[in-house]
């Protein structure tokens, strides 16, 4: 197949070469060349699984385009055959949001940096670039993203698609760092979106759920490269909740880990520093004990569930009772180890409801000793915004992430914990993270999001036949 970047004069030269070498006349070559350059290559029999191997699917056809024209060809074919289309990135979402039985487009080969504007400190990239690669390239220009999620094996289009976040009450979710993007719609039209061009679509597409079109390019607002010092120290749930405002003011990137079935908390501060890189990492404690040892004990607990109470307290005592400091370039501190495969839920609640929600979750576990919860419950914070489907829409928010690990891939009972958590989150006005599995329906989202109907109208206008829908999105919109 001809490269997508082939220029007009190069096509002409290629045509002439075919005429000279094949003995075909010019008309035959033009027809042959047209067919040659519009051929779409897909694969059957591909099995998609997310990172945690908790969700998967068998798309009818699997594509890996390298340029816009190839993506457009897939959409053309989907329209002709009345197929649905789902674009995927790193596959980290712990839900079925990326699954489809139609056409699947892996955007990983559209991963170039297109432009770096040093004066404006902006970078324009293709949607399929992994943040781990972008981080390294930005550092070469003395730039960085001001905030990142826990992992960077995710694509730029993916993190804005699901509203990825980290922590820091002065920082919004990752899509708030986007100043422009281009979208390829179901009709094959490229739309440029920013605050000054297609502004309403821009507000919608910053958390697009993969249902508005294919995100081709993204322009991020960057900041000068910076280093962070991370300081973690032990505390109690009561102390942290009683002094929450103080903690939020003390550290730019403040989060804390609560260890269920106990009062134990690990507080984590991350702040700008001029100190040289230093690490407190230790393979024996971090991996031999904190990874392999923990996974084995959690596997044992699948036979003795109440052992989880002891595991949570024991590992806090073993690994989190000392003050620990480290420093490095920002992205190496903002990213962190997610251990092994897992189920997770993560909801954003109004920040003023943080204590109420955590204490009710704690009380639920105390009153139901047969319901067990793995550590940690991770608590992070984000600034409110005006993105239509942002969980932080018009609210400074607390994200409360619960987890149940899958030791050696074994599923663990979690339904009672999950449903109790969701009840509490709904009670305090929460909104689920779009990448995470949840039980919410359109009725719930209409109550949660003041602009939900506006987003639906935009989606229906851009994709009237539902090309970009799947089972997950049908529960959201129908």
């Amino acid at each position: 197949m001809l490269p997508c970047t082939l220029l007009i004069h190069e096509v002409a030269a290629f045509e002439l070469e075919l005429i000279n070498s094949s003995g075909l006349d010019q008309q035959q070559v033009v027809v042959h060349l047209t067919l040659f350059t519009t051929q779409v290559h897909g694969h059957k029999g591909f099995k998609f699984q997310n990172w945690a191997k908790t969700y998967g699917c068998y798309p009818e056809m699997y594509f890996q385009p390298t340029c816009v024209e190839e993506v457009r060809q897939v959409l053309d074919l989907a329209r002709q055959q009345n197929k649905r289309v789902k674009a995927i990135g790193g596959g980290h979402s712990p839900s079925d949001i990326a699954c489809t039985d139609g056409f699947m487009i892996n955007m990983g080969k559209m991963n170039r940096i297109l432009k770096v504007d040093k004066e404006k400190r902006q970078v324009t990239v293709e949607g399929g670039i992994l943040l781990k690669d972008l981080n390294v390239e930005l550092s070469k220009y003395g730039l960085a993203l001001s905030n990142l999620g826990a992992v960077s094996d995710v694509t730029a289009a993916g993190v804005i698609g699901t509203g990825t976040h980290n922590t820091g009450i002065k920082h919004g979710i990752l899509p708030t760092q986007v100043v422009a993007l281009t979208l390829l719609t179901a009709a094959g039209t490229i739309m440029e979106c920013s605050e000054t061009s297609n502004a309403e679509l821009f507000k919608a597409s910053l958390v697009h759920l993969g249902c508005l079109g294919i995100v081709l390019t993204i322009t991020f607002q960057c900041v000068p490269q910076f280093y962070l010092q991370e300081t973690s120290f032990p505390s109690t749930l009561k102390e942290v909740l009683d002094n929450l405002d103080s903690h939020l003011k003390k550290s730019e990137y403040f989060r804390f880990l609560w260890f269920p079935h106990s009062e134990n908390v690990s507080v984590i501060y991350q702040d700008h520093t001029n100190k040289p890189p230093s690490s407190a990492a230790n393979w024996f404690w971090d991996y031999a004990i904190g990874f392999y040892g923990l996974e084995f004990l959690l596997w044992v607990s699948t036979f003795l569930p109440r052992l989880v109470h002891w595991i949570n307290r024991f590992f806090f005592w073993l690994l989190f009772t000392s003050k620990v400091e480290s420093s490095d370039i920002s992205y190496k501190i903002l990213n962190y180890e997610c251990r092994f495969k897992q189920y997770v839920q993560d909801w954003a609640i109004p920040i003023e409801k943080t204590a109420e929600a955590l204490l009710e979750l704690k009380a639920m576990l105390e009153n139901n000793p047969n319901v067990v919860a793995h550590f940690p419950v991770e608590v992070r914070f984000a600034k409110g915004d005006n993105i239509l489907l942002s969980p932080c829409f018009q609210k400074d928010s607390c994200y409360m992430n619960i987890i149940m690990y899958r030791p050696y891939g074994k599923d663990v009972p979690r339904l009672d914990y999950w449903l109790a958590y969701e009840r509490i989150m709904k009670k305090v006005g929460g909104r689920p993270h779009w990448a995470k599995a949840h039980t919410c329906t359109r009725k719930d989202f209409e109550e949660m999001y003041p602009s939900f109907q506006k987003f639906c109208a935009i989606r229906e206008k851009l994709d009237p036949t539902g090309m970009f829908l799947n089972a997950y999105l049908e529960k959201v919109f129908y």
Side-chain angles (χ1 to χ4, degrees):
M1 187 169 182
L2 284 175
C4 293
T5 53
L6 208 59
L7 300 177
I8 297 296
H9 69 273
E10 292 176 311
V11 172
F14 183 73
E15 179 182 332
L16 183 60
E17 184 179 343
L18 276 178
I19 293 171
N20 293 334
S21 62
S22 66
L24 299 174
D25 63 32
Q26 188 169 9
Q27 186 175 8
Q28 288 175 309
V29 169
V30 170
V31 172
H32 176 76
L33 187 58
T34 301
L35 292 172
F36 191 56
T37 57
T38 57
Q39 185 178 1
V40 179
H41 293 285
H43 303 281
K44 289 183 178 289
F46 177 79
K47 180 182 179 181
F48 168 78
Q49 279 192 308
N50 68 342
W51 172 79
K53 300 189 185 305
T54 49
Y55 293 90
C57 64
Y58 290 90
E60 182 177 337
M61 292 291 286
Y62 177 76
F63 300 90
Q64 293 180 285
T66 60
C67 65
V68 175
E69 184 54 37
E70 288 183 6
V71 179
R72 184 180 273 120
Q73 289 168 18
V74 176
L75 300 192
D76 289 344
L77 186 62
R79 275 196 307 277
Q80 294 165 16
Q81 299 186 8
N82 195 29
K83 301 294 184 181
R84 288 185 167 179
V85 176
K86 178 55 59 179
I88 64 165
H92 263 266
S93 294
S95 71
D96 57 343
I97 192 171
C99 292
T100 185
D101 58 2
F103 290 176
M104 178 173 282
I105 302 177
N106 185 324
M107 298 295 288
K109 291 186 177 181
M110 294 180 65
N111 59 357
R112 295 176 300 161
I113 293 179
L114 301 175
K115 181 181 178 182
V116 177
D117 188 326
K118 291 185 178 180
E119 186 176 335
K120 292 183 178 179
R121 294 174 180 157
Q122 293 178 352
V123 59
T124 301
V125 300
E126 290 184 307
I129 193 170
L130 294 173
L131 292 194
K132 70 174 185 180
D133 297 327
L134 177 57
N135 293 332
V136 173
E137 292 303 312
L138 285 178
S139 68
K140 296 177 182 178
Y141 294 94
L143 297 173
L145 295 175
S146 62
N147 206 351
L148 292 164
V151 297
S152 283
D153 286 326
V154 290
T155 62
V159 297
I160 70 168
T162 57
T164 298
H165 70 95
N166 198 335
T167 195
I169 197 56
K170 295 180 180 179
H171 297 275
I173 62 175
L174 266 64
T176 61
Q177 299 176 66
V178 175
V179 295
L181 59 83
T182 58
L183 195 68
L184 181 63
T185 69
T189 303
I190 294 178
M191 303 192 72
E192 297 183 357
C193 306
S194 67
E195 289 186 353
T196 58
S197 177
N198 295 309
E200 284 303 306
L201 177 55
F202 182 60
K203 286 183 181 179
S205 60
L206 286 178
V207 178
H208 56 76
L209 309 186
C211 67
L212 301 180
I214 308 293
V215 175
L216 299 175
T217 69
I218 302 167
T219 300
F220 287 102
Q221 181 62 56
C222 302
V223 297
Q225 178 179 291
F226 62 103
Y227 284 72
L228 290 173
Q229 174 172 303
E230 177 177 288
T231 304
S232 62
F233 56 91
S235 187
T236 65
L237 187 60
K238 183 179 188 306
E239 186 281 323
V240 172
L241 295 180
D242 285 350
N243 299 285
L244 187 59
D245 287 343
S246 176
H247 284 294
L248 286 166
K249 292 175 182 175
K250 281 182 180 178
S251 178
E252 183 175 354
Y253 303 92
F254 159 66
R255 62 187 171 103
F256 67 93
L257 312 178
W258 171 51
F259 289 65
H261 310 295
S262 78
E263 277 285 332
N264 298 325
V265 163
S266 176
V267 174
I268 301 167
Y269 287 173
Q270 295 170 336
D271 294 285
H272 286 244
T273 185
N274 293 319
K275 292 182 179 180
S278 64
S279 175
N282 180 291
W283 184 90
F284 176 77
W285 292 108
D286 295 343
Y287 288 94
I289 301 298
F291 188 101
Y292 300 109
L294 175 61
E295 186 171 23
F296 174 73
L297 287 175
L298 289 177
W299 177 79
V300 173
S301 76
T302 62
F303 305 99
L304 301 168
R306 289 203 189 185
L307 185 62
V308 170
H309 298 215
W310 174 83
I311 291 172
N312 289 3
R313 293 191 294 269
F314 176 66
F315 270 83
F316 178 83
W317 171 79
L318 197 64
L319 300 176
F320 295 91
T321 51
S322 299
K323 181 178 179 180
V324 177
E325 294 183 348
S326 60
S327 58
D328 212 326
I329 195 167
S330 58
Y331 64 84
K332 292 185 179 180
I333 296 292
L334 292 170
N335 289 163
Y336 49 91
E337 175 64 61
C338 290
R339 292 194 174 92
F340 28 88
K341 311 305 183 186
Q342 56 199 239
Y343 286 102
V344 294
Q345 279 233 56
D346 191 18
W347 285 53
I349 62 175
I351 196 168
E352 63 272 15
K353 297 289 186 177
T354 303
E356 177 184 340
L358 266 174
L359 292 175
E360 188 164 344
L361 185 63
K362 182 173 182 287
M364 183 280 295
L365 291 172
E366 291 171 348
N367 294 331
N368 298 274
N370 289 326
V371 178
V372 298
H374 292 168
F375 79 84
V377 171
E378 183 179 25
V379 184
R380 292 176 284 179
F381 303 89
K383 184 179 180 180
D385 57 56
N386 289 308
I387 301 169
L388 299 190
L389 289 192
S390 167
C392 299
F393 182 75
Q394 296 182 345
K395 295 179 182 179
D396 288 349
S397 299
C398 162
Y399 277 92
M400 197 172 300
N401 185 94
I402 64 171
I403 191 167
M404 291 296 283
Y405 289 114
R406 302 176 62 239
Y408 308 123
K410 184 177 182 180
D411 284 340
V412 294
R414 66 185 191 284
L415 183 60
D416 291 341
Y417 183 29
W418 251 228
L419 293 178
Y421 166 85
E422 280 202 357
R423 284 195 297 270
I424 295 169
M425 295 298 102
K426 287 182 179 179
K427 177 182 174 183
V428 297
R431 298 163 176 158
H433 190 313
W434 290 108
K436 312 296 172 68
H438 55 77
T439 64
C440 298
T441 63
R442 175 167 181 146
K443 182 179 178 181
D444 295 311
F445 294 123
E446 287 176 340
E447 295 174 358
M448 293 172 180
Y449 288 96
S451 296
F452 188 77
Q453 296 286 4
K454 181 186 289 187
F455 185 94
C456 288
I458 293 171
R459 186 198 71 78
E460 290 163 8
K461 181 178 179 181
L462 287 178
D463 185 20
T465 64
M467 177 188 287
F468 296 116
L469 294 181
N470 62 359
Y472 174 101
L473 292 173
E474 284 180 342
K475 290 183 289 186
V476 172
F477 295 115
Y478 295 106

